[in-house]
Amino acid sequence: MNSSRDNILNNLLKHSIENKPSKVVEKESHNPLSSKKKIESLKNMLESVRAEVHLLTSNSLNEWINSELPKRNLSRLLIGNDTIQSNLGLTFSDDFDVTFYTENIEKWKDKLFNEIDVGITTTTGAIARTGSLVLWPNSEEPRLISLVPDVHIAIVKVDEIYETFSEIVEKQNWSENMPTNALLISGPSKTADIEQVLAYGVHGPKELIVLIVS
Amino acid sequence: MSQVNLFTKRINKALSNNQLQTSFRSAMSYLMEGRLKRFPDYDKLQLSRTKSNSIRANSVSNLGDLLVTLENNLTKNGVKVHWAETATQANEIIHSVLKKANAKTVVKGKSMVSEEIELNEYLIDNGIDILETDLGEFLIQLDDDKPSHIVMPAIHKNKFEIARSFADNFPDLEYTEDVDKLTQQARLVLRDKFSHADAGISGVNFAVAETGTLCLVENEGNGRMSTTVPNLHIAVTGIEKVVEKLENIPPLFDILPKSATGQECTTYFNMISGPRKDNEKDGPTEVHLVLLDNGRSRVSRDTSLNDILNCIRCGSCINHCPVYVKLGGHAYGTVYPGPVGIVFESLTQGLDKAGALTSACTMCGACAQVCPVKIPLPTLINRLRNESIEGVDSDSVLGKGSLKKPIESSIWKGWRFIYSNPLVYLLFVKTMTRMRLLVPTNIGKWSKYRNTPKPSKRSIEEIARSEGFINE
Ligand code: SF4
């Protein structure tokens, strides 16, 4: 046995309960938001931190991506794999240079850091009150798609918008099946470390585009 | 020089620096206003403070059990857990993990615990290239400086100083005083480091025992970079950061950014529950957690002082402290400044080393009103002041009685003697009122900033009698 471990554990306060009441945390009660209000709140919150939000249908999603990205000079796309792509109903025109994240990062780190403009990911939900996207990266959609490229496009299904963080944790039963990495993303990367002046795009994506699909 | 004299010296230095005071005044006002806007409903705020307090208090009173559960679950998830009693042990552990993995370059996310153990110095001395990647911490490291605030470390620097430091350190980059451009330059420099680093080191905001999850709160994305891109991730945290359940996290993550920077929520909330799985394509293949004690377990045993371990390091008490705003962070001479620093540092280091800090408090109570986990900071500071002079019987406090001064004690002893003997008291009062003109106007430090008090012509007893009170 590690002796530091034993020393620390032995040194700690021995008992509990009598000292500090460990009250059961009661759930906050409020009027739940309608689904229209949830979309509205998600959109407003995200826009307030300079994310771009669009409401689309599964048909217009493909059109939006194919017509908007060239306008912004974004052609080098990264997406998990072809299944993710086809599940989203996406077909990219030949003007795009599409990369699938099918190889381990070690094999293509330089390309990821230097030759990709946009990462496209799905989400496992969103949180209306705080304007947060929830991502559970996995083998099909690895962690770095939403972090390294300058632009992150996240696709949210309209019926997966929850009201609060607590609600999504409970309804999706997170405590039973936490993934290796779970993320809440609420806007593009930012900092206020120089004279409290807000500056966007410090280490993560400079732009976050959220496409809410019904 | 004694700690008191050193502290006084640092205070005088800070008070004579007008630019510093202007920077801190404006930064603190910005943070205070930001916070206030997030809590429009007083009752709701009190409800969430109560909730957060009960979560943290529950953790602190069950630390032993929770840490063992945390260790078990992390181990099950494939994370290696290490225990460090002291800063030196923590540094040695981290160094040996790096050495074993043959890691020479390290990118680091913001971590106050790593400042506490002076990890950078240790690793650099051992030939490891460690780079701070949080923009504020990066600016600090460039100038070989120290953070002056726990949330906004470079708050004491203005953009001109930063521009000059960039010009000195990166002569190839174009000189600029524009904040956006400076930020983009830092992005450029650091991206390259992220992609090539052998290891990433981070702190932890909350560790969830139930699921074995490490939570990191940040805005920049450097924390995610440091914990995702390199093959090896080492997290280091104080043992008090553990919470029991995953459901405890949303309330804490709700109140932390609002209290800290007045944000509704931060850009990223990163929950790490294990290394990369076999079929996963990125993320570190090896994750370690170093649990640091450094005096915390000793503090946990005193149930009136262990409230300080509830702290979630939001910095709100610092932002609202009238003493901090005048002094800035460096005057404290410690890693944690402001009210939380006064308590935490004098408890963990001992009153004989950091007890002088307890004088840097006006007892205004602002800190206790804003603390999201309801730590009664002024009460704790008062208790520590008392401990530093009288020293009651608690083995949780080190350096008890170390600030006791013989002259002060004799004055109080004399005072007690006079006030407990009626005849002596009458004589004393008579003398003081009759000889009032003999009291000198210059009585040292007191009269430097205040008027010298003069005894009145008549004692209160004489006044009362002349007003017709007999036996009051
Ligand atoms: S003591 Fe309270 S207010 Fe101060 S940093 Fe800790 S949690 Fe925040």
Side-chain angles (χ1 to χ4, degrees):
Chain A
M1 266 285 152
N2 177 341
S3 73
S4 298
R5 178 184 188 275
D6 295 346
N7 291 347
I8 295 173
L9 289 174
N10 286 333
N11 213 16
L12 284 165
L13 179 70
K14 280 292 125 33
H15 46 93
S16 54
I17 317 300
E18 299 107 296
N19 289 314
K20 296 266 164 81
S22 88
K23 265 183 275 164
V24 183
V25 177
E26 81 284 10
K27 299 247 152 43
E28 215 178 302
S29 61
H30 54 70
N31 297 331
L33 295 178
S34 67
S35 65
K36 200 171 140 233
K37 279 262 176 330
K38 279 196 285 194
I39 301 174
E40 212 177 278
S41 167
L42 178 65
K43 186 168 187 289
N44 289 342
M45 291 307 295
L46 278 163
E47 284 173 348
S48 73
V49 288
R50 227 198 267 179
E52 194 182 319
V53 184
H54 298 280
L55 301 175
L56 304 170
T57 61
S58 44
N59 292 331
S60 59
L61 173 69
N62 192 40
E63 194 190 311
W64 192 93
I65 290 184
N66 277 287
S67 64
E68 276 299 316
L69 298 192
K71 282 188 214 158
R72 306 170 190 215
N73 258 330
L74 301 171
S75 62
R76 299 175 298 179
L77 309 186
L78 172 64
I79 188 164
N81 58 31
D82 50 357
T83 325
I84 304 266
Q85 180 186 336
S86 65
N87 286 347
L88 288 168
L90 294 176
T91 44
F92 300 116
S93 78
D94 289 344
D95 299 337
F96 289 109
D97 174 4
V98 181
T99 306
F100 294 131
Y101 202 146
T102 46
E103 293 228 65
N104 281 4
I105 174 69
E106 289 78 8
K107 300 222 173 87
W108 68 294
K109 211 188 259 176
D110 279 342
K111 180 175 176 193
L112 172 64
F113 272 81
N114 302 307
E115 293 163 37
I116 302 283
D117 302 322
V118 189
I120 302 179
T121 70
T122 63
T123 55
T124 54
I127 301 167
R129 293 249 181 215
T130 53
S132 312
L133 311 172
V134 180
L135 275 77
W136 281 23
N138 55 24
S139 58
E140 291 196 62
E141 287 192 297
R143 310 180 196 199
L144 292 173
I145 309 184
S146 62
L147 182 63
V148 176
D150 279 357
V151 180
H152 173 208
I153 297 182
I155 295 158
V156 176
K157 287 197 196 131
V158 81
D159 53 5
E160 286 177 351
I161 304 175
Y162 294 80
E163 194 171 331
T164 61
F165 188 14
S166 294
E167 188 189 347
I168 195 168
V169 166
E170 189 190 316
K171 296 232 169 99
Q172 294 186 345
N173 198 17
W174 285 26
S175 57
E176 296 296 319
N177 51 13
M178 278 302 270
T180 47
N181 189 205
L183 296 162
L184 305 194
I185 299 180
S186 317
S189 150
K190 63 174 181 280
T191 183
D193 274 350
I194 306 180
E195 294 192 352
Q196 300 91 55
V197 177
L198 204 52
Y200 284 89
V202 52
H203 297 301
K206 298 179 187 181
E207 282 173 52
L208 172 67
I209 302 172
V210 181
L211 305 178
I212 304 176
V213 180
S214 58
Chain B
M1 216 188 267
S2 76
Q3 52 153 333
V4 178
N5 291 342
L6 283 169
F7 188 33
T8 313
K9 221 170 131 187
R10 291 194 303 266
I11 289 174
N12 288 335
K13 190 171 161 214
L15 290 181
S16 61
N17 185 342
N18 284 335
Q19 188 225 312
L20 192 90
Q21 293 190 28
T22 319
S23 301
F24 276 96
R25 179 70 274 161
S26 84
M28 294 307 111
S29 303
Y30 163 85
L31 291 166
M32 281 157 69
E33 280 161 26
R35 172 187 175 277
L36 205 58
K37 274 196 216 124
R38 292 294 167 201
F39 298 118
D41 183 333
Y42 180 82
D43 293 337
K44 252 194 170 156
L45 166 62
Q46 298 318 320
L47 191 72
S48 45
R49 289 178 75 219
T50 307
K51 210 186 264 184
S52 306
N53 165 273
S54 74
I55 294 169
R56 290 297 306 140
N58 176 45
S59 300
V60 172
S61 37
N62 292 295
L63 270 184
D65 292 347
L66 293 181
L67 286 169
V68 172
T69 314
L70 176 72
E71 182 188 36
N72 289 340
N73 287 325
L74 280 170
T75 311
K76 228 189 288 167
N77 297 348
V79 176
K80 177 93 181 60
V81 179
H82 310 261
W83 302 71
E85 282 174 86
T86 59
T88 316
Q89 271 182 22
N91 285 329
E92 284 166 1
I93 292 168
I94 295 172
H95 183 220
S96 78
V97 172
L98 291 170
K99 223 159 105 188
K100 217 163 144 197
N102 202 14
K104 301 234 161 50
T105 52
V106 178
V107 282
K108 187 165 138 242
K110 189 169 156 17
S111 149
M112 290 311 291
V113 167
S114 73
E115 299 281 347
E116 183 183 331
I117 62 177
E118 303 193 320
L119 177 65
N120 289 5
E121 289 83 343
Y122 184 91
L123 291 182
I124 289 167
D125 283 350
N126 282 281
I128 302 230
D129 182 6
I130 180 162
L131 185 76
E132 294 285 353
T133 61
D134 169 83
L135 183 60
E137 294 281 353
F138 174 68
L139 301 173
I140 300 281
Q141 197 185 21
L142 284 183
D143 292 351
D144 213 2
D145 202 352
K146 293 265 176 202
S148 56
H149 190 280
I150 62 172
V151 176
M152 311 200 96
I155 211 159
H156 58 289
K157 292 186 186 297
N158 63 34
K159 62 182 176 195
F160 307 109
E161 295 168 282
I162 293 166
R164 272 197 303 278
S165 154
F166 268 51
D168 292 347
N169 284 284
F170 313 109
D172 294 348
L173 298 175
E174 180 202 348
Y175 180 86
T176 176
E177 290 167 0
D178 179 277
V179 174
D180 269 319
K181 286 195 187 135
L182 285 168
T183 307
Q184 287 312 310
Q185 292 186 341
R187 177 185 176 99
L188 205 74
V189 173
L190 287 167
R191 283 227 140 193
D192 184 52
K193 304 284 181 187
F194 286 128
S195 70
H196 295 111
D198 299 324
I201 295 182
S202 75
V204 173
N205 289 90
F206 315 110
V208 186
E210 174 186 40
T211 53
T213 302
L214 310 176
C215 305
L216 272 77
V217 177
E218 59 150 344
N219 283 308
E220 297 185 0
N222 66 307
R224 283 184 65 199
M225 286 278 187
S226 308
T227 59
T228 316
V229 182
N231 255 316
L232 168 64
H233 169 210
I234 307 171
V236 52
T237 190
I239 49 173
E240 81 281 19
K241 292 284 173 68
V242 65
V243 297
E244 184 179 355
K245 294 205 151 86
L246 194 64
E247 67 178 42
N248 298 151
I249 293 298
L252 295 177
F253 181 56
D254 176 57
I255 205 163
L256 172 62
K258 288 179 179 152
S259 304
T261 49
Q263 285 179 274
E264 181 63 37
C265 77
T266 55
T267 304
Y268 300 113
F269 189 65
N270 181 6
M271 308 173 85
I272 300 164
S273 305
R276 178 195 310 192
K277 284 194 183 135
D278 281 345
N279 61 352
E280 290 178 349
K281 301 181 181 70
D282 58 17
T285 47
E286 213 181 307
V287 179
H288 295 254
L289 174 69
V290 179
L291 290 165
L292 174 73
D293 183 343
N294 208 22
R296 290 163 170 84
S297 61
R298 170 171 45 79
V299 174
S300 80
R301 290 199 308 268
D302 186 313
T303 51
S304 71
L305 289 172
N306 70 9
D307 278 331
I308 193 62
L309 299 179
N310 291 353
C311 177
I312 55 173
R313 303 281 188 262
C314 72
S316 199
C317 57
I318 303 175
N319 304 343
H320 290 75
C321 178
V323 179
Y324 176 88
V325 75
K326 295 297 275 178
L327 297 184
H330 290 159
Y332 292 79
T334 48
V335 170
Y336 305 93
V340 55
I342 295 175
V343 178
F344 188 78
E345 300 278 1
S346 29
L347 276 170
T348 51
Q349 292 190 42
L351 290 163
D352 46 341
K353 306 224 168 55
L357 296 183
T358 57
S359 64
C361 173
T362 65
M363 293 284 145
C364 75
C367 50
Q369 281 193 18
V370 295
C371 175
V373 288
K374 287 182 145 181
I375 302 174
L377 291 152
T379 313
L380 299 186
I381 294 173
N382 212 15
R383 158 95 189 267
L384 290 170
R385 281 183 179 174
N386 201 19
E387 295 279 3
S388 70
I389 309 289
E390 297 292 346
V392 296
D393 194 24
S394 161
D395 68 350
S396 287
V397 184
L398 299 182
K400 282 174 292 198
S402 56
L403 293 178
K404 192 169 182 154
K405 280 181 261 164
I407 299 185
E408 205 174 52
S409 315
S410 342
I411 292 176
W412 287 114
K413 263 199 200 121
W415 190 265
R416 187 164 68 197
F417 174 71
I418 294 168
Y419 275 70
S420 50
N421 292 287
L423 282 178
V424 182
Y425 172 76
L426 277 179
L427 190 68
F428 173 73
V429 167
K430 266 254 156 62
T431 325
M432 287 305 280
T433 47
R434 300 309 177 266
M435 315 257 257
R436 51 193 283 274
L437 293 177
L438 293 180
V439 174
T441 40
N442 180 353
I443 48 171
K445 283 180 196 155
W446 181 272
S447 48
K448 199 165 160 199
Y449 300 109
R450 310 172 184 85
N451 294 330
T452 308
K454 283 247 179 269
S456 84
K457 275 189 198 143
R458 292 185 301 161
S459 72
I460 188 156
E461 198 207 349
E462 286 169 310
I463 298 172
R465 284 198 197 284
S466 71
E467 298 276 324
F469 294 96
I470 313 279
N471 269 330
E472 303 288 326

